[in-house]
Amino acid sequence: MLAGNIRGNGVNNTSLLLTKAMRWLGQRGGLVASNVARADIPGAQARDFEQSFVEAIRNPKPGRLPSSVTDARHIPPRPAGAGRVHDEKNVINISGNQISIEDEMMKLADIGAQHQLVANIYRKNAGLLRLMVRGR
């Protein structure tokens, strides 16, 4: 009966979600670290999962389904290039690429802080499970 309650309360779902979050943060950290490693290659551009996701949503590739409004409450898709402003991240460095080591290091620090937060939540979740199994 206790095992049924554990599953019913979503504790296993929480562990699964935290595991996936740790895996995603690890993969994103590896990608950002590869940006730092490629910082001296001419023509290199910084890559990040979040940027790739946003670009895929805003500018769908040919052959993929475009965004559409099927309900009056939907937000209509913006035309390509609409609402964009010049940002300093697209400036080409002296080495001939668009990778800013400072920006990438800030991303790595942020990823590290998120990783620590998820690890702490994971540890608390494991403690909760132990408490439930022991009964005290």
Side-chain angles (χ1 to χ4, degrees):
M1 177 134 177
L2 180 62
N5 288 338
I6 291 173
R7 274 194 206 103
N9 290 334
V11 176
N12 289 340
N13 292 338
T14 302
S15 297
L16 181 64
L17 179 67
L18 292 170
T19 301
K20 287 182 179 184
M22 294 286 269
R23 187 175 303 130
W24 185 83
L25 287 168
Q27 290 175 347
R28 182 172 180 231
L31 183 62
V32 173
S34 76
N35 290 340
V36 174
R38 295 179 305 110
D40 62 343
I41 299 174
Q45 292 184 346
R47 296 178 297 183
D48 194 358
F49 290 142
E50 290 179 358
Q51 292 170 350
S52 300
F53 181 72
V54 169
E55 287 174 13
I57 296 296
R58 289 193 178 154
N59 301 316
K61 302 277 187 236
R64 294 186 181 173
L65 294 175
S67 308
S68 63
V69 178
T70 57
D71 188 304
R73 295 172 292 187
H74 289 174
I75 298 173
R78 288 195 265 176
R84 293 185 185 204
V85 294
H86 173 75
D87 61 14
E88 295 180 9
K89 293 183 180 182
N90 291 328
V91 175
I92 297 175
N93 295 333
I94 196 164
S95 62
N97 63 33
Q98 295 181 352
I99 299 175
S100 168
I101 293 179
E102 293 83 11
D103 289 342
E104 300 305 309
M105 296 306 288
M106 287 175 38
K107 286 180 192 176
L108 283 173
D110 184 48
I111 292 167
Q114 291 176 10
H115 189 276
Q116 187 64 40
L117 175 66
V118 172
N120 286 339
I121 294 170
Y122 196 88
R123 195 171 12 260
K124 294 291 183 181
N125 188 49
L128 178 63
L129 284 172
R130 277 193 299 274
L131 180 66
M132 291 171 64
V133 170
R134 286 185 198 156
R136 24 175 176 150

